[in-house]
Amino acid sequence: MTDEEIAALAKAAGLEALAARYPEDLRAALETLARHRAALRRDADPMQEPTPAFRLPAP
Amino acid sequence: MNPHTLSLAEAAALIAARRLSPVELLEDCLRRIAALDSRLNAFVRVTVEEAEAAARAAEAEIARNGPRSPLHGIPVGLKDIIDLAGHPTTCHSKLRLDHVAAEDAAVVARLRAAGAVFPGKLATHEFAIGGPAFDLPFPPARNPWNTAHHPGGSSSGSGAAVAARMLPAALGTDTGGSVRHPASQCGIVGLKPSYDLVPRAGVFPLAFSLDHVGPLTRTVRDAALMLNVMSGHREDYTRELGLGLRGLRIGFVRHFHERDMPAHPEMAASLEAAAALMAAEGAALREVTLPPLAEFAAVNRTILAAESSVIHEEWLRTRPQDYAAVTRRRLLPGLLLPAVDHMHAMRRRTALSAAVDAAFREVDLLLTASSMDPAARIEDEAEVERTYPRQARTPFNVTGHPAITLMSGLSSEGLPLSLQLAAPAFAEARLLRAAHGYERAAPWKDMAPPC
């Protein structure tokens, strides 16, 4: 990921100040996310529900 | 007799028989703390006067009426993300140095009502995620088996204090394995109960849907006695301890430590030896296959990132310099996480929980690795980073099933090896029965660190 791409992501997340001060932390965070994303199975099955499924609060 | 060497159950029996006073027990533990803590850094605060007053009150009440519970007069340490009324809950962080808890956490209130005494707050990784770190207001706890090594985390001080015989029991919290990790590296017992069995109110959250509060003790019986009180006496978790392993069907999840994340050879050998011992004790072992460990870990870390982000967003934006560098790096992904990744993780969590539940239709318990490696050297940042995620604990944070870690041997370097057992939801009595059966048959229970 280029410095420009990282700067754009930081701006979108409202993290410009932190990115300017700790650029290596931001790069490490993005690498961590990419690692997790690579191991996360993605499935578009419309019948699958997340855990916990939404429950209507009792009146 | 050195009272600090007693297990919780042994001390409770002597207190009930009026052969040991809670004051004698506390004073001996305080002497042990004073002698060792400059090397172990297990405590961030020792609450001597308040604990002494509580021990004296316990002594007087027991003399009049007998003990309220097996925990009456027993010193219990608290990880410093758990509220103790009138004291700071620092979370081991600069960001919380000025905090003072207005009341006890719900689990502390239960322990206090049972008569427990609280001698202090214990070291943690910052906010239960950032550590070990040397850029925090308190030093990191060290491993009593060898102080050059990490004691595991994030409930580091809880693991170190119990293993070093400073305290018979402590509380920790477990979001991705943080009760069971220090148990595995310090050679003690760490229990993560079923999700929501123990209340989390008054415990600083890391990720609410993954967070669990659990006891660290030296024996399985002590863990059961702690859980009786921590769960609000939902059941008597000691009731099956005498039944042993005979007749239990145990699924051995070998692929976790053989294929998914190959374990250190000594850890792998100790797991095989433990499985053989369980079979010799009458359990029926068979191999079980679950989804790959990496998938559980990705789901755990993605959900953790999302849930922790709402708590730390403002501080990360306004006071990033007040976190340890490692904490900042571990929390930042939550502020950059696409919502779609979080939803994939939540949907996959449903499937992973179903897969584990399906396994429990075939077997009574699962046997797995806990840590893949003995404790890393604490100042070897690269080795700590390499070994930190090499574990099989996160599956049971994702699914919420109860799991326990206990010692399964000693490495050639003299560091503890460990195993993990897991059970169906709310089957803690069965889990503790099996763990006690192994503990009784194995030679590790009475091994103490050389400190």
PDB file of all heavy atoms in Angstrom, chain B residues 40-45 78-81 92 121-126 138-142 154-159:
ATOM      1  N   LEU B  40       8.806  -9.848  40.429  1.00  0.00           N
ATOM      2  CA  LEU B  40       7.725 -10.369  39.576  1.00  0.00           C
ATOM      3  C   LEU B  40       6.777  -9.284  39.064  1.00  0.00           C
ATOM      4  O   LEU B  40       6.087  -9.498  38.056  1.00  0.00           O
ATOM      5  CB  LEU B  40       6.910 -11.422  40.344  1.00  0.00           C
ATOM      6  CG  LEU B  40       7.651 -12.694  40.733  1.00  0.00           C
ATOM      7  CD1 LEU B  40       6.723 -13.647  41.475  1.00  0.00           C
ATOM      8  CD2 LEU B  40       8.221 -13.393  39.496  1.00  0.00           C
ATOM      9  N   ASN B  41       6.691  -8.158  39.744  1.00  0.00           N
ATOM     10  CA  ASN B  41       5.792  -7.051  39.323  1.00  0.00           C
ATOM     11  C   ASN B  41       4.357  -7.534  39.105  1.00  0.00           C
ATOM     12  O   ASN B  41       3.673  -7.063  38.189  1.00  0.00           O
ATOM     13  CB  ASN B  41       6.284  -6.399  38.023  1.00  0.00           C
ATOM     14  CG  ASN B  41       7.725  -5.954  38.108  1.00  0.00           C
ATOM     15  OD1 ASN B  41       8.157  -5.484  39.143  1.00  0.00           O
ATOM     16  ND2 ASN B  41       8.475  -6.120  37.020  1.00  0.00           N
ATOM     17  N   ALA B  42       3.910  -8.451  39.938  1.00  0.00           N
ATOM     18  CA  ALA B  42       2.549  -8.968  39.747  1.00  0.00           C
ATOM     19  C   ALA B  42       1.500  -7.944  40.187  1.00  0.00           C
ATOM     20  O   ALA B  42       0.406  -7.918  39.648  1.00  0.00           O
ATOM     21  CB  ALA B  42       2.366 -10.260  40.542  1.00  0.00           C
ATOM     22  N   PHE B  43       1.844  -7.108  41.168  1.00  0.00           N
ATOM     23  CA  PHE B  43       0.870  -6.161  41.726  1.00  0.00           C
ATOM     24  C   PHE B  43       1.106  -4.753  41.182  1.00  0.00           C
ATOM     25  O   PHE B  43       2.248  -4.307  41.073  1.00  0.00           O
ATOM     26  CB  PHE B  43       0.984  -6.122  43.256  1.00  0.00           C
ATOM     27  CG  PHE B  43       0.330  -7.292  43.945  1.00  0.00           C
ATOM     28  CD1 PHE B  43       0.966  -8.530  43.991  1.00  0.00           C
ATOM     29  CD2 PHE B  43      -0.922  -7.167  44.525  1.00  0.00           C
ATOM     30  CE1 PHE B  43       0.367  -9.612  44.609  1.00  0.00           C
ATOM     31  CE2 PHE B  43      -1.533  -8.253  45.144  1.00  0.00           C
ATOM     32  CZ  PHE B  43      -0.893  -9.476  45.185  1.00  0.00           C
ATOM     33  N   VAL B  44       0.016  -4.047  40.889  1.00  0.00           N
ATOM     34  CA  VAL B  44       0.133  -2.610  40.649  1.00  0.00           C
ATOM     35  C   VAL B  44      -0.241  -1.842  41.925  1.00  0.00           C
ATOM     36  O   VAL B  44       0.092  -0.671  42.060  1.00  0.00           O
ATOM     37  CB  VAL B  44      -0.731  -2.122  39.468  1.00  0.00           C
ATOM     38  CG1 VAL B  44      -0.287  -2.775  38.170  1.00  0.00           C
ATOM     39  CG2 VAL B  44      -2.210  -2.365  39.691  1.00  0.00           C
ATOM     40  N   ARG B  45      -0.911  -2.493  42.857  1.00  0.00           N
ATOM     41  CA  ARG B  45      -1.270  -1.842  44.121  1.00  0.00           C
ATOM     42  C   ARG B  45      -1.555  -2.910  45.159  1.00  0.00           C
ATOM     43  O   ARG B  45      -2.278  -3.870  44.875  1.00  0.00           O
ATOM     44  CB  ARG B  45      -2.523  -0.978  43.940  1.00  0.00           C
ATOM     45  CG  ARG B  45      -2.946  -0.205  45.191  1.00  0.00           C
ATOM     46  CD  ARG B  45      -4.062   0.783  44.910  1.00  0.00           C
ATOM     47  NE  ARG B  45      -3.689   1.635  43.786  1.00  0.00           N
ATOM     48  CZ  ARG B  45      -4.073   1.417  42.524  1.00  0.00           C
ATOM     49  NH1 ARG B  45      -4.868   0.425  42.231  1.00  0.00           N
ATOM     50  NH2 ARG B  45      -3.665   2.203  41.561  1.00  0.00           N
ATOM     51  N   LEU B  78      -7.218  -9.184  42.182  1.00  0.00           N
ATOM     52  CA  LEU B  78      -8.087  -8.713  41.098  1.00  0.00           C
ATOM     53  C   LEU B  78      -7.254  -8.095  39.985  1.00  0.00           C
ATOM     54  O   LEU B  78      -6.466  -7.165  40.236  1.00  0.00           O
ATOM     55  CB  LEU B  78      -9.072  -7.670  41.632  1.00  0.00           C
ATOM     56  CG  LEU B  78      -9.952  -8.092  42.810  1.00  0.00           C
ATOM     57  CD1 LEU B  78     -10.765  -6.895  43.314  1.00  0.00           C
ATOM     58  CD2 LEU B  78     -10.868  -9.243  42.414  1.00  0.00           C
ATOM     59  N   LYS B  79      -7.430  -8.592  38.791  1.00  0.00           N
ATOM     60  CA  LYS B  79      -6.829  -7.953  37.612  1.00  0.00           C
ATOM     61  C   LYS B  79      -7.278  -6.498  37.583  1.00  0.00           C
ATOM     62  O   LYS B  79      -8.473  -6.218  37.825  1.00  0.00           O
ATOM     63  CB  LYS B  79      -7.304  -8.703  36.362  1.00  0.00           C
ATOM     64  CG  LYS B  79      -6.784  -8.168  35.039  1.00  0.00           C
ATOM     65  CD  LYS B  79      -7.321  -9.022  33.889  1.00  0.00           C
ATOM     66  CE  LYS B  79      -6.785  -8.601  32.546  1.00  0.00           C
ATOM     67  NZ  LYS B  79      -7.232  -9.494  31.459  1.00  0.00           N
ATOM     68  N   ASP B  80      -6.366  -5.599  37.254  1.00  0.00           N
ATOM     69  CA  ASP B  80      -6.705  -4.192  37.421  1.00  0.00           C
ATOM     70  C   ASP B  80      -7.521  -3.615  36.259  1.00  0.00           C
ATOM     71  O   ASP B  80      -7.339  -2.464  35.856  1.00  0.00           O
ATOM     72  CB  ASP B  80      -5.444  -3.353  37.658  1.00  0.00           C
ATOM     73  CG  ASP B  80      -5.778  -2.003  38.300  1.00  0.00           C
ATOM     74  OD1 ASP B  80      -6.865  -1.910  38.901  1.00  0.00           O
ATOM     75  OD2 ASP B  80      -4.986  -1.067  38.167  1.00  0.00           O
ATOM     76  N   ILE B  81      -8.447  -4.417  35.746  1.00  0.00           N
ATOM     77  CA  ILE B  81      -9.526  -3.854  34.924  1.00  0.00           C
ATOM     78  C   ILE B  81     -10.870  -4.145  35.619  1.00  0.00           C
ATOM     79  O   ILE B  81     -11.929  -3.908  35.052  1.00  0.00           O
ATOM     80  CB  ILE B  81      -9.546  -4.394  33.474  1.00  0.00           C
ATOM     81  CG1 ILE B  81      -9.915  -5.877  33.417  1.00  0.00           C
ATOM     82  CG2 ILE B  81      -8.223  -4.169  32.789  1.00  0.00           C
ATOM     83  CD1 ILE B  81     -10.279  -6.328  31.999  1.00  0.00           C
ATOM     84  N   HIS B  92      -3.902  -0.581  33.879  1.00  0.00           N
ATOM     85  CA  HIS B  92      -2.455  -0.556  33.626  1.00  0.00           C
ATOM     86  C   HIS B  92      -2.098   0.560  32.625  1.00  0.00           C
ATOM     87  O   HIS B  92      -1.158   0.441  31.845  1.00  0.00           O
ATOM     88  CB  HIS B  92      -1.972  -1.916  33.095  1.00  0.00           C
ATOM     89  CG  HIS B  92      -0.581  -2.285  33.539  1.00  0.00           C
ATOM     90  ND1 HIS B  92      -0.323  -3.368  34.343  1.00  0.00           N
ATOM     91  CD2 HIS B  92       0.627  -1.737  33.292  1.00  0.00           C
ATOM     92  CE1 HIS B  92       0.975  -3.475  34.550  1.00  0.00           C
ATOM     93  NE2 HIS B  92       1.576  -2.479  33.920  1.00  0.00           N
ATOM     94  N   LYS B 121      -4.564  -5.047  43.557  1.00  0.00           N
ATOM     95  CA  LYS B 121      -4.883  -5.073  42.134  1.00  0.00           C
ATOM     96  C   LYS B 121      -3.653  -5.573  41.375  1.00  0.00           C
ATOM     97  O   LYS B 121      -2.511  -5.232  41.704  1.00  0.00           O
ATOM     98  CB  LYS B 121      -5.280  -3.670  41.654  1.00  0.00           C
ATOM     99  CG  LYS B 121      -6.435  -3.033  42.422  1.00  0.00           C
ATOM    100  CD  LYS B 121      -7.747  -3.792  42.318  1.00  0.00           C
ATOM    101  CE  LYS B 121      -8.462  -3.707  40.980  1.00  0.00           C
ATOM    102  NZ  LYS B 121      -8.999  -2.389  40.639  1.00  0.00           N
ATOM    103  N   LEU B 122      -3.922  -6.364  40.346  1.00  0.00           N
ATOM    104  CA  LEU B 122      -2.847  -7.097  39.664  1.00  0.00           C
ATOM    105  C   LEU B 122      -2.573  -6.563  38.269  1.00  0.00           C
ATOM    106  O   LEU B 122      -3.468  -6.066  37.578  1.00  0.00           O
ATOM    107  CB  LEU B 122      -3.227  -8.575  39.603  1.00  0.00           C
ATOM    108  CG  LEU B 122      -3.358  -9.240  40.975  1.00  0.00           C
ATOM    109  CD1 LEU B 122      -4.133 -10.539  40.888  1.00  0.00           C
ATOM    110  CD2 LEU B 122      -1.979  -9.472  41.581  1.00  0.00           C
ATOM    111  N   ALA B 123      -1.319  -6.710  37.869  1.00  0.00           N
ATOM    112  CA  ALA B 123      -0.864  -6.218  36.565  1.00  0.00           C
ATOM    113  C   ALA B 123      -1.640  -6.880  35.430  1.00  0.00           C
ATOM    114  O   ALA B 123      -2.059  -8.036  35.530  1.00  0.00           O
ATOM    115  CB  ALA B 123       0.624  -6.499  36.402  1.00  0.00           C
ATOM    116  N   THR B 124      -1.818  -6.124  34.366  1.00  0.00           N
ATOM    117  CA  THR B 124      -2.493  -6.625  33.166  1.00  0.00           C
ATOM    118  C   THR B 124      -1.785  -6.038  31.960  1.00  0.00           C
ATOM    119  O   THR B 124      -1.012  -5.076  32.076  1.00  0.00           O
ATOM    120  CB  THR B 124      -3.982  -6.201  33.178  1.00  0.00           C
ATOM    121  OG1 THR B 124      -4.552  -6.432  31.894  1.00  0.00           O
ATOM    122  CG2 THR B 124      -4.163  -4.734  33.518  1.00  0.00           C
ATOM    123  N   HIS B 125      -2.014  -6.613  30.812  1.00  0.00           N
ATOM    124  CA  HIS B 125      -1.649  -5.891  29.595  1.00  0.00           C
ATOM    125  C   HIS B 125      -2.585  -4.683  29.527  1.00  0.00           C
ATOM    126  O   HIS B 125      -3.748  -4.757  29.951  1.00  0.00           O
ATOM    127  CB  HIS B 125      -1.856  -6.768  28.363  1.00  0.00           C
ATOM    128  CG  HIS B 125      -0.857  -7.884  28.258  1.00  0.00           C
ATOM    129  ND1 HIS B 125      -0.896  -8.828  27.262  1.00  0.00           N
ATOM    130  CD2 HIS B 125       0.207  -8.205  29.033  1.00  0.00           C
ATOM    131  CE1 HIS B 125       0.098  -9.673  27.419  1.00  0.00           C
ATOM    132  NE2 HIS B 125       0.783  -9.327  28.480  1.00  0.00           N
ATOM    133  N   GLU B 126      -2.103  -3.563  29.019  1.00  0.00           N
ATOM    134  CA  GLU B 126      -2.904  -2.329  29.028  1.00  0.00           C
ATOM    135  C   GLU B 126      -4.265  -2.595  28.368  1.00  0.00           C
ATOM    136  O   GLU B 126      -4.344  -3.092  27.246  1.00  0.00           O
ATOM    137  CB  GLU B 126      -2.158  -1.228  28.269  1.00  0.00           C
ATOM    138  CG  GLU B 126      -2.839   0.128  28.384  1.00  0.00           C
ATOM    139  CD  GLU B 126      -2.091   1.228  27.626  1.00  0.00           C
ATOM    140  OE1 GLU B 126      -1.355   0.910  26.666  1.00  0.00           O
ATOM    141  OE2 GLU B 126      -2.263   2.402  27.982  1.00  0.00           O
ATOM    142  N   PHE B 138       3.292   1.169  34.916  1.00  0.00           N
ATOM    143  CA  PHE B 138       3.739   0.068  35.780  1.00  0.00           C
ATOM    144  C   PHE B 138       4.508  -0.930  34.909  1.00  0.00           C
ATOM    145  O   PHE B 138       4.169  -1.127  33.737  1.00  0.00           O
ATOM    146  CB  PHE B 138       2.543  -0.647  36.417  1.00  0.00           C
ATOM    147  CG  PHE B 138       1.537   0.284  37.030  1.00  0.00           C
ATOM    148  CD1 PHE B 138       0.350   0.578  36.371  1.00  0.00           C
ATOM    149  CD2 PHE B 138       1.780   0.876  38.265  1.00  0.00           C
ATOM    150  CE1 PHE B 138      -0.582   1.445  36.927  1.00  0.00           C
ATOM    151  CE2 PHE B 138       0.850   1.733  38.833  1.00  0.00           C
ATOM    152  CZ  PHE B 138      -0.327   2.029  38.161  1.00  0.00           C
ATOM    153  N   PRO B 139       5.504  -1.592  35.499  1.00  0.00           N
ATOM    154  CA  PRO B 139       6.259  -2.570  34.699  1.00  0.00           C
ATOM    155  C   PRO B 139       5.407  -3.804  34.415  1.00  0.00           C
ATOM    156  O   PRO B 139       4.441  -4.071  35.136  1.00  0.00           O
ATOM    157  CB  PRO B 139       7.446  -2.917  35.594  1.00  0.00           C
ATOM    158  CG  PRO B 139       6.968  -2.630  36.986  1.00  0.00           C
ATOM    159  CD  PRO B 139       5.991  -1.500  36.885  1.00  0.00           C
ATOM    160  N   PRO B 140       5.757  -4.584  33.391  1.00  0.00           N
ATOM    161  CA  PRO B 140       4.998  -5.807  33.128  1.00  0.00           C
ATOM    162  C   PRO B 140       5.339  -6.896  34.139  1.00  0.00           C
ATOM    163  O   PRO B 140       6.469  -6.975  34.617  1.00  0.00           O
ATOM    164  CB  PRO B 140       5.468  -6.211  31.727  1.00  0.00           C
ATOM    165  CG  PRO B 140       6.833  -5.652  31.605  1.00  0.00           C
ATOM    166  CD  PRO B 140       6.854  -4.386  32.423  1.00  0.00           C
ATOM    167  N   ALA B 141       4.340  -7.726  34.452  1.00  0.00           N
ATOM    168  CA  ALA B 141       4.590  -8.871  35.330  1.00  0.00           C
ATOM    169  C   ALA B 141       5.539  -9.846  34.651  1.00  0.00           C
ATOM    170  O   ALA B 141       5.629  -9.891  33.418  1.00  0.00           O
ATOM    171  CB  ALA B 141       3.267  -9.556  35.666  1.00  0.00           C
ATOM    172  N   ARG B 142       6.230 -10.617  35.473  1.00  0.00           N
ATOM    173  CA  ARG B 142       7.194 -11.593  34.952  1.00  0.00           C
ATOM    174  C   ARG B 142       6.858 -13.001  35.436  1.00  0.00           C
ATOM    175  O   ARG B 142       6.149 -13.173  36.418  1.00  0.00           O
ATOM    176  CB  ARG B 142       8.620 -11.213  35.376  1.00  0.00           C
ATOM    177  CG  ARG B 142       9.114  -9.981  34.616  1.00  0.00           C
ATOM    178  CD  ARG B 142      10.451  -9.485  35.090  1.00  0.00           C
ATOM    179  NE  ARG B 142      10.872  -8.340  34.293  1.00  0.00           N
ATOM    180  CZ  ARG B 142      11.670  -8.427  33.218  1.00  0.00           C
ATOM    181  NH1 ARG B 142      12.156  -9.598  32.827  1.00  0.00           N
ATOM    182  NH2 ARG B 142      11.987  -7.341  32.551  1.00  0.00           N
ATOM    183  N   SER B 154      -3.641 -11.548  28.845  1.00  0.00           N
ATOM    184  CA  SER B 154      -3.374 -10.273  29.480  1.00  0.00           C
ATOM    185  C   SER B 154      -3.477 -10.289  31.003  1.00  0.00           C
ATOM    186  O   SER B 154      -3.057  -9.324  31.643  1.00  0.00           O
ATOM    187  CB  SER B 154      -4.355  -9.230  28.944  1.00  0.00           C
ATOM    188  OG  SER B 154      -5.704  -9.592  29.278  1.00  0.00           O
ATOM    189  N   SER B 155      -3.983 -11.357  31.600  1.00  0.00           N
ATOM    190  CA  SER B 155      -4.100 -11.399  33.068  1.00  0.00           C
ATOM    191  C   SER B 155      -2.758 -11.817  33.669  1.00  0.00           C
ATOM    192  O   SER B 155      -2.656 -12.784  34.440  1.00  0.00           O
ATOM    193  CB  SER B 155      -5.213 -12.369  33.480  1.00  0.00           C
ATOM    194  OG  SER B 155      -6.401 -12.120  32.777  1.00  0.00           O
ATOM    195  N   SER B 156      -1.713 -11.047  33.339  1.00  0.00           N
ATOM    196  CA  SER B 156      -0.330 -11.427  33.651  1.00  0.00           C
ATOM    197  C   SER B 156      -0.069 -11.495  35.149  1.00  0.00           C
ATOM    198  O   SER B 156       0.525 -12.455  35.649  1.00  0.00           O
ATOM    199  CB  SER B 156       0.634 -10.397  33.065  1.00  0.00           C
ATOM    200  OG  SER B 156       0.243 -10.004  31.796  1.00  0.00           O
ATOM    201  N   GLY B 157      -0.488 -10.443  35.862  1.00  0.00           N
ATOM    202  CA  GLY B 157      -0.237 -10.404  37.300  1.00  0.00           C
ATOM    203  C   GLY B 157      -1.012 -11.497  38.024  1.00  0.00           C
ATOM    204  O   GLY B 157      -0.529 -12.061  39.017  1.00  0.00           O
ATOM    205  N   SER B 158      -2.209 -11.805  37.538  1.00  0.00           N
ATOM    206  CA  SER B 158      -3.020 -12.865  38.154  1.00  0.00           C
ATOM    207  C   SER B 158      -2.290 -14.199  38.042  1.00  0.00           C
ATOM    208  O   SER B 158      -2.221 -14.969  39.015  1.00  0.00           O
ATOM    209  CB  SER B 158      -4.391 -12.940  37.475  1.00  0.00           C
ATOM    210  OG  SER B 158      -5.038 -11.689  37.479  1.00  0.00           O
ATOM    211  N   GLY B 159      -1.751 -14.485  36.856  1.00  0.00           N
ATOM    212  CA  GLY B 159      -1.012 -15.734  36.650  1.00  0.00           C
ATOM    213  C   GLY B 159       0.237 -15.794  37.502  1.00  0.00           C
ATOM    214  O   GLY B 159       0.508 -16.801  38.171  1.00  0.00           O
TER     215      GLY B 159
END
